């Protein structure tokens, strides 16, 4: 039988809130941002967060609203856009610096997300002329 106080008042039982250990994926998101040029997998990100891939994906999606790899591709694309807008680096070097590996992959992501090529994006944003490839 549940504890009950006289006068129709329910028994108050204190339930202390457990200390919240940081179960957020924010540290791993920052870790991944610091390594955009490197090939990162879901398993590596989950391992960094000390979680299984399934748990990491569930928590990540709950915090960010997308899957870890989709978010990573969006961050790489954002970094590529920044480099195209602010530098004269060749597209091949930007692709490598952002973790796409080669210009073809970068162009594919640009077309899928923005409907234009990296060079068209650069021209549209009045970015510096590309430096000659070295």
């Amino acid at each position: 039988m549940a504890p009950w106080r006289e006068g129709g008042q329910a028994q108050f039982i204190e339930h202390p809130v457990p200390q919240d250990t940081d179960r957020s994926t924010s540290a791993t998101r920052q870790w991944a941002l610091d390594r955009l040029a490197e090939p990162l997998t879901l398993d590596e990100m989950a391992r960094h967060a000390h979680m299984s891939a399934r748990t990491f994906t569930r928590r990540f999606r709950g915090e960010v609203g997308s899957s870890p790899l989709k978010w990573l591709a969006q961050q790489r694309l954002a970094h590529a856009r920044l480099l195209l807008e602010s530098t004269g680096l060749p597209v091949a070097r930007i692709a490598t610096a952002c973790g796409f590996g080669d210009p073809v992959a970068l162009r594919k992501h640009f077309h899928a997300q923005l409907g234009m090529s990296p060079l068209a994006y650069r021209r549209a944003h009045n970015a510096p002329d590309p430096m000659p490839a070295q």
Side-chain angles (χ1 to χ4, degrees), residues 71-86:
W71 173 87
L72 184 60
Q74 291 169 340
Q75 299 309 307
R76 286 178 166 156
L77 187 63
H79 188 55
R81 290 171 65 179
L82 176 68
L83 292 175
L84 286 166
E85 292 169 11
S86 62

Side-chain angles (χ1 to χ4, degrees), residues 25 29 55-68:
T25 61
R29 288 194 308 265
T55 299
F56 178 73
T57 299
R58 185 178 63 248
R59 288 199 183 141
F60 194 99
R61 191 179 300 274
E63 292 173 20
V64 177
S66 70
S67 73

Side-chain angles (χ1 to χ4, degrees), residues 69-133:
L69 295 181
K70 184 175 181 179
W71 173 87
L72 184 60
Q74 291 169 340
Q75 299 309 307
R76 286 178 166 156
L77 187 63
H79 188 55
R81 290 171 65 179
L82 176 68
L83 292 175
L84 286 166
E85 292 169 11
S86 62
T87 72
L89 290 172
V91 172
R93 289 191 48 203
I94 290 174
T96 301
C98 296
F100 288 108
D102 61 52
V104 174
L106 178 60
R107 282 188 204 100
K108 177 184 159 195
H109 282 274
F110 255 83
H111 279 290
Q113 294 297 315
L114 304 170
M116 65 175 66
S117 71
L119 289 178
Y121 181 86
R122 176 176 268 160
R123 282 192 299 273
H125 289 85
N126 297 319
D129 288 329
M131 296 180 340

Side-chain angles (χ1 to χ4, degrees), residues 7-18:
Q9 188 179 37
Q11 178 74 34
F12 176 74
I13 302 173
E14 189 174 328
H15 293 283
V17 178

